[in-house]
Amino acid sequence: MGKVVVGVVVVCGIAVAAAAAVVVHRKMKKSGKWVKGMEILKEFEEKCGTPIPKLRQVADAMIVEMHADLASEGGSKLKMIISHVDNLPTGNEKGVFYALDLGGTNFRVLRVQLGGKRGCIVNQQFEEVSIPPSLMTGTSDALFDYIAAALAKFVAQEGPEFKLNPGRQRELGFTFSFPVMQSSIASGTLLKWTKGFSIDDAVGQDIVAELANAMERQGLDMRIAALVNDTVGTLAGGRYNNNKVVASVILGTGSNAAYVERVHAIPKWQGLVPKSGEMVINMEWGNFRSSHLPLTEYDHTLDAESLNPGEQIYEKIISGMYLGEIVRRVLCRMAEEAAFFGDTVPPKLKKPFVLGTPVMSAMHRDTSPDLKVVASNLKDVLEISSTSLKMRKVIVELCNIVATRGARLSAAGVLGILKKMGRDTIKAGEKQKTVIAMDGGLYEHYSEYRNCFENTLKELLGEEVSQTIVIEHSNDGSGIGAALLAASHSQYLEIYES
């Protein structure tokens, strides 16, 4: 009996030792995986590095590209599109103007009453209309007839407060956010559709003429005074409120910039020199690329798997469409190679674009002691329910790395524009203010990104120069800006300004 007992004790002793060894092995294995996960994060952070000398190289590379495409069409990846806007709002515009903003599956119609003599916007109204999916792939006439009918209905509801002077024709600014080769302030050929539209018989046509014909069929007497890109609209809206505005930047789902250039610095301009001597240039800066951009393997695979490989490289590392997706891709690798979320990769984590930038922003700004916002977003969006505080801190750090790189690189782009305009230094005895109109949800809502962008720009410019540069939030440029450009290019301009 004693032998049996001794035997059991010995066996139990071996079992306990074996179990302890398994636990130690698991801990070592888990510790090894954690180390591997931190290596992945550290390597990514290093490759995303944006020291000031690198940012200066990015700015200088952008200036080279700006010069190249201003010299000849197709001279660089930047498009440097001549907007034909040579007359920005002054604040003295007066009267009622309309705008049509077509940029996706909805369009907006607006009317504004301008007070003149810096009276600013006295009154404004707008309406949003959904486009039926069938019209997005039908005929050009069907789409523009639908838009013109909605516009005519909106005009018919014009109240007595929006009073047009007798004998005046209504004027419209048309924001059209699809690729267009613009030939004048109020004409442009559609190059291709994007955003789910596919209307073959509109490609190659002047979309202003298409809209004008549809308005005529509706019996709507209205002149299209300006065809506008949303970035140019933001610049116009900013200039209306502040005559020191000389550039605009959109940091939203996508990204772009526009600025005021001297006509003499645009060798490819073939027209007459306008009275102002200036021309707004739509840079299409999202397409900028340079060997100085800190690209990682995640950026390369994201680009390769995108709808437009090799295009919009700068946009893919600074804009709201892609930041959350970069975070997801790094997390996915950590899950696969370092079992960051356990032995299996969470299925939701494998889904492209499941982690939107608004979610990333919410996690990044989480300051609660236990990072409960991070935990709830992981659970709700990725269906990952068990995470340690240590893991959640790593995720916040990852969000910070991605946002910081994007914000600092966008600041480098702004430095490039300021240098091209000669606004990056203070000339003797001069203290001119330079105002940049900013718009876009990323800038407006992602405070960590915005603060990093603004601090980096100050760092790049230095204390003295940065005091002369002002960033102003200019909301709804694409709509109000179009109406303002219709006003500044009105056929009744002399009358309004007298």
Side-chain angles (χ1 to χ4, degrees), residues 47 107 132 150 208 290 298 396 496:
K47 286 184 177 174
F107 65 89
V208 173
S290 161
Y298 309 98
V396 173
Y496 286 138

Short mmCIF file of all heavy atoms in Angstrom, two decimals, residues 47 107 132 150 208 290 298 396 496:
data_model
loop_
_atom_site.label_atom_id
_atom_site.label_comp_id
_atom_site.label_asym_id
_atom_site.label_seq_id
_atom_site.Cartn_x
_atom_site.Cartn_y
_atom_site.Cartn_z
N LYS A 47 11.19 52.98 -40.74
CA LYS A 47 10.98 53.24 -42.17
C LYS A 47 10.04 54.42 -42.42
O LYS A 47 10.04 55.00 -43.49
CB LYS A 47 10.43 51.98 -42.86
CG LYS A 47 11.50 50.91 -43.04
CD LYS A 47 10.97 49.72 -43.81
CE LYS A 47 12.08 48.71 -44.04
NZ LYS A 47 11.57 47.46 -44.65
N PHE A 107 -25.52 65.13 -55.30
CA PHE A 107 -25.06 66.46 -55.71
C PHE A 107 -25.81 67.50 -54.89
O PHE A 107 -26.87 67.21 -54.32
CB PHE A 107 -25.25 66.70 -57.22
CG PHE A 107 -26.68 66.73 -57.69
CD1 PHE A 107 -27.41 67.91 -57.73
CD2 PHE A 107 -27.30 65.56 -58.14
CE1 PHE A 107 -28.72 67.93 -58.18
CE2 PHE A 107 -28.61 65.57 -58.59
CZ PHE A 107 -29.32 66.77 -58.61
N PRO A 132 -29.98 58.39 -58.67
CA PRO A 132 -30.33 56.96 -58.78
C PRO A 132 -29.20 56.18 -59.47
O PRO A 132 -28.62 56.68 -60.45
CB PRO A 132 -31.59 56.98 -59.66
CG PRO A 132 -32.13 58.36 -59.54
CD PRO A 132 -30.95 59.26 -59.34
N ALA A 150 -33.72 69.05 -61.05
CA ALA A 150 -33.59 69.35 -59.62
C ALA A 150 -33.19 70.81 -59.41
O ALA A 150 -33.67 71.49 -58.49
CB ALA A 150 -32.57 68.42 -58.98
N VAL A 208 -19.74 71.33 -69.46
CA VAL A 208 -20.50 72.57 -69.26
C VAL A 208 -21.59 72.68 -70.32
O VAL A 208 -22.74 73.02 -70.02
CB VAL A 208 -19.56 73.80 -69.31
CG1 VAL A 208 -20.36 75.10 -69.29
CG2 VAL A 208 -18.60 73.78 -68.13
N SER A 290 8.26 60.70 -55.05
CA SER A 290 9.68 61.04 -54.99
C SER A 290 10.41 59.93 -54.24
O SER A 290 9.84 59.27 -53.37
CB SER A 290 9.86 62.37 -54.24
OG SER A 290 11.19 62.53 -53.79
N TYR A 298 4.30 47.98 -46.66
CA TYR A 298 2.84 48.06 -46.54
C TYR A 298 2.27 49.05 -47.56
O TYR A 298 1.21 48.81 -48.15
CB TYR A 298 2.44 48.48 -45.12
CG TYR A 298 3.11 47.64 -44.05
CD1 TYR A 298 4.26 48.10 -43.41
CD2 TYR A 298 2.63 46.38 -43.73
CE1 TYR A 298 4.90 47.33 -42.45
CE2 TYR A 298 3.26 45.60 -42.76
CZ TYR A 298 4.41 46.08 -42.13
OH TYR A 298 5.05 45.31 -41.20
N VAL A 396 -2.24 52.17 -30.05
CA VAL A 396 -2.22 53.63 -30.02
C VAL A 396 -0.90 54.14 -30.62
O VAL A 396 -0.88 55.09 -31.41
CB VAL A 396 -2.40 54.18 -28.58
CG1 VAL A 396 -2.21 55.70 -28.55
CG2 VAL A 396 -3.79 53.83 -28.05
N TYR A 496 -21.49 95.25 -60.64
CA TYR A 496 -21.44 94.86 -59.23
C TYR A 496 -20.35 95.63 -58.48
O TYR A 496 -20.48 95.92 -57.32
CB TYR A 496 -21.15 93.35 -59.11
CG TYR A 496 -22.33 92.48 -59.47
CD1 TYR A 496 -22.17 91.32 -60.24
CD2 TYR A 496 -23.62 92.80 -59.06
CE1 TYR A 496 -23.24 90.52 -60.57
CE2 TYR A 496 -24.70 92.00 -59.38
CZ TYR A 496 -24.51 90.86 -60.14
OH TYR A 496 -25.58 90.07 -60.48
#
